């Protein structure tokens, strides 16, 4: 009888060790690091992409730009060099989705306030209305932190080209002039190589939470 319990004890210890090993393997398998996709024009709805890029499957990056922010400062791609950033398109007089988008961008700003790797960039789609002074009033009203978040205005064609050819973010307006846009609620996550790594509904709180998690995943990519 004693030998039976002794043998059972040995079996129990071996079984426990094997179980721990199996559980560890399963846990590690389920928690394998999964990098974020790198979005190309061919992966995005044709409504949002300039016709010249709709079949491009690789090498897509945000192009160089030169715009003016809420403080009258020229902002270029160099201000975002080696930064992860969230970009969107809006206008200050919008009464529909923009206020929600801006409030959610403020939430993101508060989360990344002390993170030197992450910034924000909002482009006005009505630069003729959104002057520097208008952007400044809007920035003060919304609590924009100038060190983290640029609201930019400038040449309308440049902004349109950025939206359609770089960020793949806004819809063409077939019933208006060549450089009028129907902006969307999209937020874009841009990596340190100026590649699009995610699209998010800027009016949806769950998508904002997902964006914040994806920022951490992207930061992990650079930590490796």
């Amino acid at each position: 009888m004693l030998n039976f319990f002794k043998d059972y004890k040995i079996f129990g210890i071996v079984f426990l060790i094997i179980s721990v090993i199996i559980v560890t393997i399963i846990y590690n398998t389920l928690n394998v690091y999964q990098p974020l996709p790198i979005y190309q024009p061919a992966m995005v709805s044709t409504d949002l992409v300039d016709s010249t890029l709709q079949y491009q499957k690789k090498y897509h990056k945000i192009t160089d730009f030169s715009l003016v922010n809420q403080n009258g400062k020229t902002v270029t791609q160099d201000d975002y060099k080696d930064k992860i950033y969230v970009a969107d398109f809006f206008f200050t007089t919008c009464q529909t989705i923009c206020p929600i988008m801006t409030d959610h961008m403020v939430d993101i700003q508060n989360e990344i306030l002390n993170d030197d790797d992450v910034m924000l960039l909002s482009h006005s789609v009505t630069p003729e209305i959104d002057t520097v002074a208008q952007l400044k009033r809007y920035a003060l009203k919304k609590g924009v932190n100038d060190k983290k978040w640029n609201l930019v205005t400038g040449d309308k064609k440049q902004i349109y080209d950025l939206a359609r050819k770089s960020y793949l973010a806004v819809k063409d307006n077939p019933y208006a002039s060549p450089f009028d846009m129907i902006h969307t609620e999209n937020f874009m996550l841009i990596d340190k190589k100026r590649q699009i790594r995610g699209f998010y509904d800027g009016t949806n709180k769950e998508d904002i939470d997902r964006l914040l998690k994806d920022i951490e995943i992207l930061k992990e990519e650079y930590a490796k």
Side-chain angles (χ1 to χ4, degrees):
M1 182 66 72
L2 291 175
N3 287 334
F4 172 79
F5 283 112
K6 183 178 180 181
D7 292 341
Y8 183 80
K9 181 179 179 181
I10 294 172
F11 170 79
I13 293 172
V14 172
F15 179 79
L16 180 62
I17 292 171
I18 293 174
S19 298
V20 170
I21 292 172
I22 292 173
V23 170
T24 301
I25 292 172
I26 293 173
Y27 178 83
N28 289 334
T29 301
L30 294 176
N31 285 275
V32 171
Y33 168 75
Q34 294 291 334
L36 299 176
I38 299 173
Y39 283 89
Q40 305 297 330
M43 300 166 64
V44 180
S45 169
T46 56
D47 290 344
L48 302 173
V49 183
D50 188 86
S51 60
T52 61
L53 300 174
Q54 287 174 358
Y55 301 103
Q56 182 177 325
K57 296 181 178 180
K58 55 184 178 180
Y59 305 132
H60 183 73
K61 292 186 178 183
I62 307 303
T63 192
D64 292 353
F65 59 89
S66 180
L67 298 164
V68 181
N69 75 359
Q70 66 268 24
N71 297 313
K73 176 184 179 294
T74 298
V75 174
T76 73
Q77 66 284 345
D78 290 337
D79 293 284
Y80 289 82
K81 185 177 180 180
D82 296 325
K83 300 291 184 183
I84 295 166
Y85 69 96
V86 180
D88 75 336
F89 290 81
F90 82 114
F91 58 104
T92 62
T93 55
C94 168
Q95 299 298 316
T96 53
I97 62 174
C98 293
I100 303 171
M101 293 169 63
T102 302
D103 287 346
H104 282 157
M105 197 68 93
V106 170
D107 291 341
I108 298 169
Q109 173 187 256
N110 293 338
E111 290 293 327
I112 56 102
L113 202 56
N114 298 313
D115 191 332
D116 292 336
D117 283 335
V118 188
M119 294 181 65
L120 310 174
L121 179 60
S122 294
H123 309 74
S124 170
V125 298
T126 59
E128 68 278 7
I129 296 172
D130 289 333
T131 62
V132 170
Q134 174 70 2
L135 290 180
K136 187 63 177 180
R137 286 190 291 269
Y138 192 79
L140 291 172
K141 179 181 177 181
K142 295 296 184 177
V144 171
N145 185 306
D146 294 341
K147 294 181 179 179
K148 301 297 292 184
W149 185 1
N150 289 297
L151 313 180
V152 291
T153 187
D155 177 69
K156 191 168 187 175
K157 182 181 185 304
Q158 181 184 179
I159 293 171
Y160 178 92
D161 284 345
L162 282 167
R164 296 278 294 169
K165 296 181 180 181
S166 281
Y167 292 101
L168 318 178
V170 302
K171 294 181 179 180
D172 206 355
N173 186 349
Y175 304 106
S177 69
F179 300 110
D180 281 341
M181 298 172 280
I182 303 173
H183 85 295
T184 67
E185 66 279 2
N186 286 341
F187 283 4
M188 287 68 62
L189 178 61
I190 312 301
D191 68 15
K192 294 184 179 183
K193 295 181 180 179
R194 295 158 66 177
Q195 301 172 125
I196 302 173
R197 305 303 295 271
F199 290 92
Y200 312 85
D201 182 342
T203 67
N204 186 307
K205 184 62 172 63
E206 290 182 358
D207 256 27
I208 302 305
D209 292 339
R210 180 168 64 89
L211 189 161
L212 289 169
K213 290 177 181 177
D214 283 354
I215 288 174
E216 294 305 314
I217 292 173
L218 193 51
K219 288 175 63 178
E220 186 177 342
E221 180 177 309
Y222 294 112
K224 291 183 178 298

